[in-house]
Structures are given as C-alpha cells and as structure tokens.
Amino acid sequence: MSRAYDPGRTAVLLVDPYNDFLSEGGKIWPRVRPVAEQVGLLDHLRAVVASARSAGPRVMIVPHRRWEPGDYETWDHPNPTQRGIMERHSFARGTWGGEFHPDFQPRPGDVVAREHWAQSGFANTDLDFQLKQHGISHVVLIGLLANTCIESTGRFAMELGYHVTLVRDATAAFLPEMMHAAHELNGPTFAHAITTTDELTAAFGRASA
C-alpha cells in the first residue's frame, strides 16, 4: 500500500472546512454533529492533515462558494442545495461561518483551489489544473459531506484519471444512511481505495520512509 502514496504524487483534498460545517455555532454543524462525533471527524481530519504535512503529500483545500447577496437568485435552475444556501446564507463571505475552521487554515505550500458552485470540486474551478501542475496522480478526499461534495469530487477525479481514496472516518454526513451509501454502495463504484484514518496515516508514513 505504501507505493500507492508517493509523497510527491499524492494530494490530500480537504473539502469545505468551514466553520459553518465544523464549529460549534456553525449554521450546518447541528445537522452534521451526530455523525461527526460518532466517527471522530475533527480529530481524524487533524490527523490526516498533520500526517500529510509531515510525510510529504500536498494539502489542497477545496472550498465551496462563499455565499454573497444575489447568488443563485437569477439562475434558471439552482439545485436544492443551492436553494437552501439562498435561505440559510451558508458560508457567507466576510462572516465567521464562511471562514475556515481555525485548525485547517492554509499554510505555506498548501494550495487553495477556486471555489466550487455546486458539489464537485472540479467543475468550473482550477483544481484539475493545480493538481496537474503539481504532478499529482493520487488524491485522498476528506471533509464534507460524504455523499455530496466528497462523492462528486471523487467521481470527477476518477473520470479525469486520478487514483481516488476515500477515508471513512475523516468525513461525515447528515445521516448514518448517507454514510453507508457513500462508502458501501456508491464509493466502490469509483474509488480505488476506501480506508480509515489510521490505515492512511500508516501508509503515508511507510511511503515517506
């Protein structure tokens, strides 16, 4: 397994690490919290990011569009999530909820991709370009949500020719059933590996040895 994560060719894609998703007082945290606490989400996100920074894989932050007044209002067909954002003002630009969680601030050497408007971190962004310019062939997806942005970004990555890893306990969803679908039903149709934080960080360590 260590050969699969050559530090120079691997990137951890940290998807949507906003306060609204991950912090007490965040607009969406109450819906995520039960599953997040069950799987130990925050500790596992910290562990994967720390391991990547220590072992060599590049950390790339893959952020959702930060809501601004007028977003989606004139669109022909905003999707249900976008309609919800219009009502809740999730990840509003210039607000605490639209800032990255304090434990997941970008550091020198990290890459912050352009913001995605829907669920795929690749659609209408520079993520593929950034990955190619940094020589990345293997992507590890962590963050939120397992059955929406993580799944859409992972599927798109596979279609573009990347090796895709999902991490069961470094993501969360609104319901356990959604986690089951993400990792037991849908994930095996596109992901090359579905692992845990402990297994992944051990593999990172072996690859960097």
Side-chain angles (χ1 to χ4, degrees):
M1 189 171 179
S2 63
R3 292 181 60 194
Y5 300 105
D6 177 346
R9 302 186 68 207
T10 301
V12 169
L13 305 186
L14 175 56
V15 181
D16 298 349
Y18 288 119
N19 282 320
D20 269 345
F21 258 152
L22 294 174
S23 296
E24 190 71 39
K27 291 177 180 175
I28 312 174
W29 173 244
R31 297 187 67 190
V32 176
R33 182 174 187 167
V35 171
E37 292 186 343
Q38 179 184 12
V39 301
L41 173 65
L42 284 164
D43 283 343
H44 290 141
L45 290 177
R46 294 182 187 107
V48 173
V49 170
S51 177
R53 287 180 171 145
S54 173
R58 189 174 296 275
V59 174
M60 293 194 177
I61 297 176
V62 182
H64 199 281
R65 165 76 177 183
R66 299 172 206 235
W67 177 85
E68 296 181 14
D71 279 359
Y72 314 112
E73 292 177 3
T74 59
W75 287 21
D76 280 347
H77 39 267
N79 68 38
T81 298
Q82 291 161 341
R83 291 185 183 278
I85 290 172
M86 279 196 289
E87 297 173 4
R88 294 188 304 268
H89 303 166
S90 309
F91 325 127
R93 195 177 304 280
T95 71
W96 171 84
E99 296 174 359
F100 296 140
H101 185 284
D103 292 347
F104 307 113
Q105 296 291 320
R107 294 188 183 179
D110 294 351
V111 173
V112 181
R114 297 294 179 95
E115 297 174 359
H116 51 272
W117 284 88
Q119 295 178 352
S120 170
F122 287 95
N124 306 305
T125 76
D126 63 344
L127 180 57
D128 182 49
F129 180 80
Q130 291 275 13
L131 290 167
K132 285 183 168 61
Q133 287 295 327
H134 289 91
I136 302 301
S137 61
H138 289 54
V139 295
V140 177
L141 283 95
I142 62 172
L144 297 161
L145 293 164
N147 60 312
T148 57
C149 291
I150 295 292
E151 180 171 331
S152 294
T153 302
R155 282 187 182 277
F156 211 131
M158 176 274 293
E159 298 285 0
L160 291 170
Y162 295 98
H163 179 285
V164 176
T165 296
L166 304 179
V167 188
R168 296 175 183 274
D169 54 5
T171 186
F174 294 152
L175 295 170
E177 294 85 350
M178 294 173 175
M179 292 284 277
H180 176 80
H183 301 129
E184 306 304 328
L185 304 179
N186 298 341
T189 69
F190 66 89
H192 302 86
I194 303 177
T195 188
T196 66
T197 295
D198 287 348
E199 293 167 345
L200 179 72
T201 55
F204 280 178
R206 290 193 300 270
S208 65

